[in-house]
Amino acid sequence: MNRNHPKRGSSCWVDPIRSVSEIQRIKSKLSGRNLVLFTLGINNGLRISDLLNIKVGDVCSLGIGETLRIQERKTGKTNVLMINKEVYRVLSSYLSSSNLKESDYLFKSREGRNKPLTKQYVHSLVKGWTSGLKGNFGTHSLRKTFGWVQRVVFGVSWEVLCKRFGHSNPSITMRYLGI
């Protein structure tokens, strides 16, 4: 049995990236689609399934400070993708240099037809981006990194993070972020 994988049906705990310098190091090594994926992930706190479902037409006309309403696949609740300066910068650069159509997925697979990347593929990307860091990382690490940065760097309250993540109370958010 491979010890790197949990048993089918069980879950595996992943960590946030807990260093702003490591976040910057990872970003400096990424480009194009992968840079946009990482940047959106750590700046919005959305689940990977919701990020992968975004189409180019959903975001191509958004400016700084604008939002995109997203219906979460897991919960059915509405959440928002926020376009801050950094997201706008990498997104604009990517869209202007790619030949994606509005009907294409933003994180389109290179496998031909218009399909998004798979969660499994993104998981392997995140593992590669975080190799050398202490901890266990996966797709959920992007969401957790958002929360960690908001709390530790910017001092956002537990209540606000709890609402953003859709948790029932702040103690769940504290445990979720490992703070």
Side-chain angles (χ1 to χ4, degrees), residues 8-104:
R8 188 172 192 88
S10 66
S11 62
C12 184
W13 187 263
V14 296
D15 300 301
I17 302 167
R18 290 187 172 97
S19 164
V20 175
S21 63
E22 286 300 331
I23 292 169
Q24 293 304 326
R25 183 189 62 77
I26 291 168
K27 285 171 76 172
S28 72
K29 293 182 176 188
L30 300 177
S31 62
R33 179 195 69 192
N34 291 348
L35 178 59
V36 175
L37 179 59
F38 183 77
T39 304
L40 278 176
I42 67 168
N43 279 275
N44 277 284
L46 296 172
R47 290 179 184 88
I48 198 65
S49 58
D50 298 324
L51 287 176
L52 295 178
N53 214 29
I54 297 171
K55 294 211 173 183
V56 172
D58 297 334
V59 295
C60 66
S61 63
L62 295 178
I64 297 170
E66 293 186 296
T67 60
L68 170 67
R69 291 197 164 299
I70 294 176
Q71 185 173 2
E72 294 179 337
R73 291 179 68 151
K74 180 178 179 182
T75 65
K77 295 178 182 176
T78 300
N79 207 333
V80 293
L81 172 88
M82 297 181 282
I83 306 295
N84 63 20
K85 289 178 188 175
E86 184 65 10
V87 168
Y88 182 80
R89 183 184 67 77
V90 298
L91 188 57
S92 297
S93 175
Y94 174 57
L95 292 176
S96 67
S97 66
S98 70
N99 58 355
L100 294 171
K101 297 177 283 210
E102 286 193 14
S103 60
D104 288 338

Side-chain angles (χ1 to χ4, degrees), residues 134-152:
K134 186 176 181 181
N136 186 35
F137 302 94
T139 57
H140 228 58
S141 295
L142 302 178
R143 179 172 158 94
K144 289 183 175 191
T145 299
F146 164 79
W148 182 87
V149 167
Q150 293 301 305
R151 178 63 188 166
V152 173

Side-chain angles (χ1 to χ4, degrees), residues 115-127:
K115 291 191 174 187
L117 298 174
T118 64
K119 290 189 284 185
Q120 295 81 4
Y121 182 72
V122 176
H123 178 80
S124 67
L125 287 175
V126 173
K127 287 284 193 188

